[in-house]
Amino acid sequence: CCSSAMVSPSAALRASQWVSLGFSTGMLYFPTKMMEAYKAETFEGDAATLFTFALGIFGLQLFLSSMMAAAMARDAVPKHVQSLSCFCQGLGWLFFALNDGALYARGLWPHAMPPESLQVNLGIFVALAAICFSGWAEGGYEVPDMGVLPEGRPALPLVVACANLLFFGVGCAFFTEAFVDLFLPGVLQSLPAPTTSARGFFSTKEVPAGPLEGAPPLLLLIFANAGKCILVNIASLLSIASVGDETVAYRLLRVVSLANVFYLGMFSREGVLAVATGWPSPMRLSTFVQCFGTTYYCCASFAGMPFTLLQEGRKAK
């Protein structure tokens, strides 16, 4: 009776895949409409431009999470690997439910986002966490093999990709304002702020003046949460690889490589943004070298491997 009420690992992963894809699609392609749907206050001028930029970074990480779920949901992936993938996806949803809920409970939730919209998000996050944990249980409660690195030919490029992400994840998550200022010096301080004591507060259409008491701006929250999502993705990649074989590591490397290629397209768009706004971008060359080098290495590695994946419908041993 209890088992029949559980969700299969592949079904749980598909659910997480599509919800993550929905969030990422809104952030990447329809950011303003997405914020309007949340009944959030929208920004103007340079603040709107930077907010869209931040949502794009967050959206890319949710896209990576969606692709991971899709790759691990395939029939040929061993059930114990799918179980752990559900565990990782569930922890990710639960983490953001607790993260955002704690900000609201402490009075630190940005005023630009209404509490009702946050409550909808929390409901979605908790529901997805429950579904994923059900898939985890149905698959056998697989847990990461701590301290075990990816194995086989895809191992090194996968670790390199994670190391590249780690730089941006730590910076955005723990040193948000300073990290943004490193890449766009002076831009945060140039955005509309009613008083010198409101550094980091940006006016919106609804609240054109007056500092927000205690709560960080929605803009900085998006950057910080994007960094946390990067760290969740890194932990998921390495955890899944720790219990999988070379084939699983290869699937993960393909996913990371595709996400990196996608980011290079975004990076090109950011060049147009820099020209249009006149914002300084002293880190652009070093970021290009770092990210292009990582992407080229990962893509060349997986494309150069004479690797044959099992056909769908045949379970990997």
Side-chain angles (χ1 to χ4, degrees):
C1 175
C2 183
S3 177
S4 64
M6 289 185 179
V7 181
S8 70
S10 60
L13 289 170
R14 291 296 184 193
S16 187
Q17 168 200 342
W18 287 111
V19 175
S20 291
L21 184 62
F23 278 117
S24 68
T25 298
M27 292 179 179
L28 286 165
Y29 304 112
F30 310 101
T32 301
K33 292 297 182 183
M34 185 178 185
M35 290 299 102
E36 289 175 354
Y38 273 113
K39 295 182 170 52
E41 297 166 9
T42 51
F43 299 87
E44 294 181 313
D46 282 356
T49 302
L50 189 58
F51 186 68
T52 302
F53 172 82
L55 277 178
I57 295 174
F58 199 175
L60 173 61
Q61 293 309 310
L62 287 171
F63 186 44
L64 173 56
S65 179
S66 175
M67 288 195 291
M68 265 196 287
M72 294 300 104
R74 295 184 178 276
D75 291 339
V77 175
K79 191 170 183 179
H80 75 280
V81 175
Q82 290 185 333
S83 174
L84 180 56
S85 299
C86 287
F87 179 66
C88 293
Q89 292 280 329
L91 282 182
W93 291 113
L94 182 60
F95 170 79
F96 278 104
L98 295 174
N99 177 76
D100 293 356
L103 287 175
Y104 180 74
R106 294 163 55 201
L108 296 178
W109 185 253
H111 296 264
M113 177 76 76
E116 296 78 13
S117 298
L118 170 63
Q119 291 163 9
V120 171
N121 264 9
L122 294 181
I124 294 173
F125 297 169
V126 170
L128 261 295
I131 291 171
C132 289
F133 287 139
S134 178
W136 173 51
E138 178 67 14
Y141 295 101
E142 187 73 20
V143 295
D145 193 347
M146 302 301 293
V148 175
L149 292 175
E151 65 177 50
R153 292 166 289 174
L156 183 57
L158 186 58
V159 170
V160 168
C162 288
N164 176 58
L165 285 172
L166 185 64
F167 169 72
F168 298 102
V170 171
C172 283
F174 300 111
F175 309 98
T176 311
E177 192 168 351
F179 197 68
V180 174
D181 202 50
L182 176 67
F183 286 84
L184 298 170
V187 173
L188 286 176
Q189 292 74 27
S190 71
L191 299 181
T195 68
T196 56
S197 64
R199 182 172 183 268
F201 163 63
F202 319 119
S203 60
T204 68
K205 290 179 180 178
E206 300 297 326
V207 186
L212 300 179
E213 293 293 336
L218 182 59
L219 176 60
L220 293 184
L221 176 70
I222 296 299
F223 273 119
N225 276 1
K228 293 169 186 175
C229 193
I230 292 174
L231 298 178
V232 168
N233 283 340
I234 294 171
S236 297
L237 286 165
L238 295 178
S239 295
I240 296 168
S242 74
V243 302
D245 57 11
E246 187 180 52
T247 301
V248 170
Y250 180 80
R251 291 181 185 274
L252 294 173
L253 178 59
R254 283 201 314 180
V255 165
V256 171
S257 298
L258 291 173
N260 284 346
V261 170
F262 189 98
Y263 172 68
L264 287 182
M266 293 177 59
F267 188 77
S268 176
R269 177 206 64 176
E270 292 164 12
V272 178
L273 187 67
V275 172
T277 59
W279 292 345
S281 50
M283 297 290 288
R284 184 163 179 80
L285 178 59
S286 62
T287 302
F288 171 77
V289 171
Q290 176 183 336
C291 293
F292 180 83
T294 300
T295 302
Y296 184 87
Y297 176 55
C298 290
C299 290
S301 296
F302 95 76
M305 293 177 192
F307 211 100
T308 302
L309 293 173
L310 291 176
Q311 295 179 0
E312 294 301 312
R314 290 172 53 198
K315 291 292 185 181
K317 299 296 184 183

